[in-house]
Structure formats: structure tokens, C-alpha cells
Amino acid sequence: MKIVVLKFGGTSVGSIERIKNTAKIIISYLKQGYKVIVVSSAMSGETNKLVKLTKKISNNFAPSEYDSIVSTGEQVSCSLIAGRLIDKGFLSRSWLGWQIPILTKGSYSHSRILSVNKKKILQFLKQGGTPIITGFQGINAESRITTVGRGGSDASAIMMAKFFKAEKCIIYTDVDGVYTTDPNVAPKAKKIKKISYEEMLEMASLGSKVMMPHSIQDARLNRIDIEVRSSFKNLPGSLITKKKNISSNNIIRGVSFTKNDTKVTLVGVKDKPGVAASIFEPLFKNLINVDMVVQNISSNKRETDLTFTIKNDDLAKTEKLIKNNRKINFKKITIDEKVSKVSIVGVGMITTPGVTFRMFNALAKKNINILVISTSEIKISVLVDQKNLKKAVDVLHKEFKLDY
Ligand code: ASP
Ligand code: MG
């Protein structure tokens, strides 16, 4: 059986017109002789509405009931898709997670898909049917409804592709692929034909909002190729795949950035063993994600400055935790909420010397001051003033020959 998994995101099923269009796309694959497994998310905005309802009852809404309610949006969209296909003369039906079942493990609202009972779906496919499966949801060992994290229907689709050994997993969404950078910021952004899981993971976690990092990680671990395409324009998309499938000689695959960072500096921190741990322990315990960290070498061997970045949303909490922290001493705290992290990403930098220099040099030529630097094997990030963000993205995009 030639199976393809088609996943439709919220905007792709966001209205009746769009659901009709989705059915058209599904039919085009059926006509090519594919057996199609559809995974859909809820109509756009619906899941948010459901979350709001829970908040009206309680800020501490029971996690098991939370999953039960927020997963209902998918039932609506899947039934509408199936209904449309039936109306067009095709055999189709919707499936909820528990009806298959899709078994998950882990805590509510962050479960992971463990296994899928394939029997009924395979039978249906053999009869010529097209199953429309709810993304985002499953059940746990106690037969309770679970969800796999916001935006998680991508992960559902990837797991379907894995268990059903699909030839392709295509994510239909409202963008027509993965771009070298955000086209809204840099008009010279170009669609990337192929990108490795590793690069995509860095781009995703660095702020390119095409797919959630954990979905990409699922695809990487299971070696599932994913194609990202637009459901509104019939254009070739981007393929997320193994490194060895990519032959392009670009050193850098893309430039990504974040806009909502805050830089915190503790000036004059006592320089003794354990101070960094004392500063970060309460932040960690309060689930505040500390991103970039630099500690200056102390000039007098007694005091040092420590700088780190967090998300803007975490600032109030962080400030309070630092000020109430009896274990640390410092002279003053300075805060800059108008900073952005700009990163270049590419597996090519592993084997190419001089990338760091080229990056810094390009920024220097445009008079862009670098506030903090951090690196990993396949990315280099710099923190800059927010007012320099666009200039920095443009110059790096050009420097690494990504311009359109
Ligand atoms: N409907 C769910 C959400 O909005 C899952 C998804 O869209 O992937 O988070
Ligand atoms: Mg969604």
C-alpha cells in the first residue's frame, strides 16, 4: 500500500470554505492512487476558546478534564472533513484518538504517543476508505483522554507516518515552506528546499514558528521525512530530512531571531565557587528558562558581572527571585528589555572555519554592537539592541549568500 499522511493545521480547516479546499487536496492524492490518512487539528482559534472556558472555571483546572475539553475542537474539524468527502462520493470517516486507540504516556497536556492500534485503520484503507484522525489527542493506560502539547497535531501526524510506514508525511499549513529567515522582516528571504532535522530544530527553537521543536524531534528520532506545504497555494514546499539527503553547499541554512528577550546583568557579584548555581537555582525551580549566560572575568578576583537573558514575560518573577535571594550579594542589577537574539544556523559550519569571524565582521561593518554571544555546534547567536534587529538579519542574510 502506498500510504501518505496529510496533516492539516488550524488555518487550513479554519472555515467551511477552507475545509472544502482541504477535501479537494485530499481527493487529489486519492486520484494519484495513494491511500490517504488525514490528521487534522481544530479549526483555528477553537482550542484557544476551549482553554479560556477552563480558565473561567478555575486557574487550577483539573489536568485530566483540561485534556478532555481542549481536545474536542479536533472532533469538529475531522467530522466536517469526513462529511465533505462523503458528500463528494468518497468513503471516509472520522476517528477520535480513543476509538483507534492512540496510546500515550506521560502527564496530561504533555503526553507522548507510544503506540497506535493499526488494525481498524488498515482495514478501512483496504476497503478504499479515507480515515480522518484527530490530531493532538490520545488516551492513557487508564483510558483517559490525553493531549500531546499545544500545536501537537504535527507530532500526531509524524507518529502516524511512523506506525503506518507512510511514504510521505505532508504538513499543510498557512505558510508555503520554511524560509531562510522571516519574510516579514527580510523581504529577501528565500524558501529552503531541503533542511536537516538538526537545522530545523535550531531554527524552530530559535524562533522560526513553522513547527514545534518537539514535533521535529519526533521526526528526527523516527527518521520521517516531512514536507511543509501551503494549503492555499499549490507550490513546492520544504523538505525536512536527514543530513545525508542534502547536497546543497550552503554553509548557513538560515537566520532566525527572537524579539521578546530581556537582558539582566548583576554587577559586582561576589566571585566565589557556587555563586552562579545560587543565582540560577531559584530561577530553575520556578521554571524560568535562562537562555544566554556570560560571566565576565573579574579584574580584581573578588567581584564579577554576570549577564543572562530570559523571556520578557519572566522578568517580573526573575527580578523578585533575585532580589529576595539571600544567598547572593551584588552591587546592582541592570535590565534591558529591548534586546533581540539573532542566530545563524547551518550544519556547514561544523566543517567550515571562519564562520564566526564572518558573522562578527559583517555586524561590525554595519556598526551593530554585540551584547552577548553563544554558540552550539551548528549555530551562533548574538544578542543585539532591538533597534538593530532588522539591520542585523539583513546583513547576515546577505553575508551568507541567502538573499533571493
Ligand atoms: N488544536 C491544537 C492546538 O491548537 C493542536 C494543534 O493545533 O496542533 O494547540
Ligand atoms: Mg493549532
Side-chain angles (χ1 to χ4, degrees):
M1 256 198 286
K2 222 167 67 162
I3 296 178
V4 61
V5 171
L6 305 181
K7 184 263 168 175
F8 294 91
T11 44
S12 306
V13 295
S15 67
I16 293 301
E17 270 324 299
R18 287 180 173 184
I19 286 179
K20 288 180 181 168
N21 181 53
T22 288
K24 239 190 228 160
I25 295 172
I26 298 168
I27 293 167
S28 75
Y29 283 90
L30 293 170
K31 289 199 167 142
Q32 290 169 53
Y34 281 106
K35 300 280 184 194
V36 182
I37 297 176
V38 175
V39 174
S40 182
S41 61
M43 295 172 80
S44 57
E46 288 304 315
T47 313
N48 286 343
K49 275 190 206 155
L50 296 164
V51 171
K52 276 198 194 128
L53 287 178
T54 69
K55 294 215 167 107
K56 285 190 178 150
I57 293 287
S58 161
N59 276 329
N60 247 331
F61 200 82
S64 52
E65 295 306 329
Y66 176 92
D67 281 18
S68 177
I69 180 173
V70 299
S71 58
T72 57
E74 274 70 11
Q75 180 167 354
V76 175
S77 51
C78 287
S79 298
L80 288 171
I81 299 170
R84 177 67 178 179
L85 288 172
I86 295 167
D87 191 57
K88 286 278 158 194
F90 293 86
L91 178 62
S92 183
R93 74 158 270 196
S94 61
W95 252 284
L96 301 178
W98 65 267
Q99 293 175 307
I100 297 178
I102 296 171
L103 287 178
T104 66
K105 66 164 183 192
S107 56
Y108 290 108
S109 76
H110 295 288
S111 291
R112 286 268 163 279
I113 297 175
L114 262 186
S115 66
V116 173
N117 188 341
K118 297 194 296 192
K119 219 172 120 204
K120 290 179 236 168
I121 301 288
L122 283 175
Q123 239 169 29
F124 192 61
L125 287 170
K126 274 188 199 133
Q127 290 164 24
T130 301
I132 318 294
I133 300 175
T134 49
F136 188 44
Q137 55 167 273
I139 54 169
N140 63 17
E142 287 85 50
S143 295
R144 305 225 33 189
I145 291 171
T146 54
T147 62
V148 296
R150 291 304 308 272
S153 40
D154 287 342
S156 304
I158 288 159
M159 296 314 267
M160 292 304 143
K162 170 191 160 155
F163 288 115
F164 288 97
K165 300 203 166 56
E167 203 170 274
K168 289 185 190 181
C169 179
I170 306 178
I171 308 268
Y172 276 95
T173 178
D174 49 5
V175 294
D176 60 7
V178 181
Y179 277 75
T180 48
T181 191
D182 183 347
N184 297 314
V185 168
K188 294 204 167 147
K190 215 168 33 183
K191 200 187 299 174
I192 301 173
K193 285 200 187 104
K194 288 183 185 177
I195 181 167
S196 68
Y197 301 116
E198 290 76 9
E199 290 166 326
M200 189 64 208
L201 258 174
E202 289 285 6
M203 303 262 292
S205 51
L206 294 172
S208 309
K209 291 174 228 70
V210 182
M211 276 176 83
M212 304 287 277
H214 74 251
S215 307
I216 301 159
Q217 184 65 348
D218 281 346
R220 183 174 86 93
L221 293 173
N222 296 300
R223 315 315 272 168
I224 308 283
D225 282 2
I226 313 169
E227 205 181 319
V228 178
R229 300 182 68 121
S230 160
S231 49
F232 310 130
K233 292 182 242 165
N234 189 12
L235 292 171
S238 300
L239 186 72
I240 307 170
T241 185
K242 304 172 199 63
K243 269 189 242 146
K244 73 169 194 343
N245 292 342
I246 304 175
S247 56
S248 128
N249 46 17
N250 268 9
I251 302 165
I252 298 304
R253 192 77 56 206
V255 180
S256 50
F257 57 86
T258 56
K259 283 181 178 165
N260 50 349
D261 297 285
T262 291
K263 176 168 75 81
V264 179
T265 302
L266 301 184
V267 180
V269 183
K270 279 255 149 44
D271 194 11
K272 57 175 190 211
V275 345
S278 309
I279 293 170
F280 293 123
E281 189 187 6
L283 303 186
F284 162 72
K285 282 195 174 145
N286 283 278
L287 303 178
I288 291 169
N289 197 1
V290 174
D291 183 16
M292 307 169 99
V293 182
V294 273
Q295 185 184 330
N296 288 345
I297 297 172
S298 74
S299 47
N300 58 8
K301 296 225 161 71
R302 267 173 280 129
E303 281 170 353
T304 178
D305 297 345
L306 196 120
T307 298
F308 58 91
T309 64
I310 49 170
K311 291 286 156 225
N312 293 347
D313 287 346
D314 288 332
L315 177 59
K317 216 169 165 190
T318 302
E319 237 187 309
K320 206 161 135 204
L321 288 166
I322 300 257
K323 287 183 173 158
N324 293 340
N325 189 342
R326 294 264 161 84
K327 286 194 190 156
I328 53 173
N329 277 307
F330 56 89
K331 287 201 177 121
K332 98 178 172 204
I333 178 167
T334 62
I335 287 161
D336 186 350
E337 287 176 80
K338 293 215 160 45
V339 292
S340 289
K341 185 170 76 168
V342 182
S343 312
I344 56 173
V345 176
V347 287
M349 71 173 73
I350 300 175
T351 47
T352 315
V355 176
T356 319
F357 167 73
R358 271 175 73 185
M359 179 184 199
F360 297 168
N361 200 35
L363 293 170
K365 277 194 189 144
K366 290 278 167 195
N367 245 323
I368 298 168
N369 192 26
I370 300 173
L371 307 172
V372 182
I373 302 164
S374 78
T375 64
S376 81
E377 211 183 14
I378 64 164
K379 71 132 212 263
I380 308 169
S381 304
V382 295
L383 197 71
V384 299
D385 281 334
Q386 223 167 61
K387 65 173 199 297
N388 287 330
L389 172 64
K390 185 176 159 39
K391 214 163 52 163
V393 171
D394 282 341
V395 69
L396 294 174
H397 202 264
K398 183 162 184 219
E399 171 67 29
F400 292 100
K401 313 220 171 337
L402 299 171
D403 276 3
Y404 199 49

